[in-house]
Amino acid sequence: NPDAISATKDFIAPIGGPIVIMLVAPYLIMNKVQSYYGLNDPLAPFRYGYPAVFYVAAMVVMSGRALQNLQKWTQGIRDAEFLVEMRLTNLERGDKETTASSAQPTAPATPADPQPPMLADPQPPLGPLLPLDVENEA
């Protein structure tokens, strides 16, 4: 059992009202402008009034979308800067903890997987590098 009055208040009036205003207002405004200036152009509302209403409505919608995109963009920048700040804060806390822990002597940690021994004198892959003596070559 739908309530017609609440349906009209909640759905029909918010959608239908602006539509009726956008259809009727340009016609009435253009008729008043024509009577004031003494013009007699029956197509004036269609040539000037309705395109003007379309332009205004499009600008309102586009500016609203642009504002939403700008707000999303600024929020993204704020979030990124917040994360950078949190990393810097964590880094500063880590530095404070390491300086505090370095003051206390501790036993060196032994790695679970020791590194393999290095070669005594590793050769570069292209052979030994010879020093260049540029003065003697000339």
Side-chain angles (χ1 to χ4, degrees), residues 6-23:
S6 75
T8 302
K9 287 180 183 177
D10 293 338
F11 300 108
I12 297 171
I15 295 171
I19 291 174
V20 169
I21 290 172
M22 285 176 25
L23 289 174

Side-chain angles (χ1 to χ4, degrees), residues 63-103:
S63 63
R65 296 278 170 98
L67 185 62
Q68 287 176 352
N69 288 338
L70 183 64
Q71 288 172 346
K72 287 179 185 178
W73 179 65
T74 55
Q75 187 62 40
I77 290 173
R78 284 186 196 132
D79 292 343
E81 290 298 321
F82 174 76
L83 291 175
V84 168
E85 182 66 29
M86 287 304 294
R87 287 183 193 146
L88 291 175
T89 303
N90 290 340
L91 182 64
E92 289 172 0
R93 287 182 190 159
D95 288 343
K96 289 177 184 176
E97 290 173 2
T98 56
T99 55
S101 65
S102 65

Side-chain angles (χ1 to χ4, degrees), residues 114-136:
Q115 296 289 330
M118 296 293 292
L119 297 175
D121 189 22
Q123 291 289 326
L126 299 176
L129 297 176
L130 299 174
L132 295 176
D133 193 1
V134 179
E135 293 177 8
N136 293 336

Side-chain angles (χ1 to χ4, degrees), residues 26-61:
Y27 185 77
L28 295 176
I29 291 171
M30 290 308 296
N31 279 339
K32 292 296 180 187
V33 168
Q34 283 183 356
S35 66
Y36 181 76
Y37 287 110
L39 303 173
N40 190 10
D41 185 8
L43 297 178
F46 303 108
R47 285 190 191 142
Y48 307 113
Y50 292 114
V53 169
F54 172 75
Y55 176 77
V56 169
M59 288 297 116
V60 167
V61 169

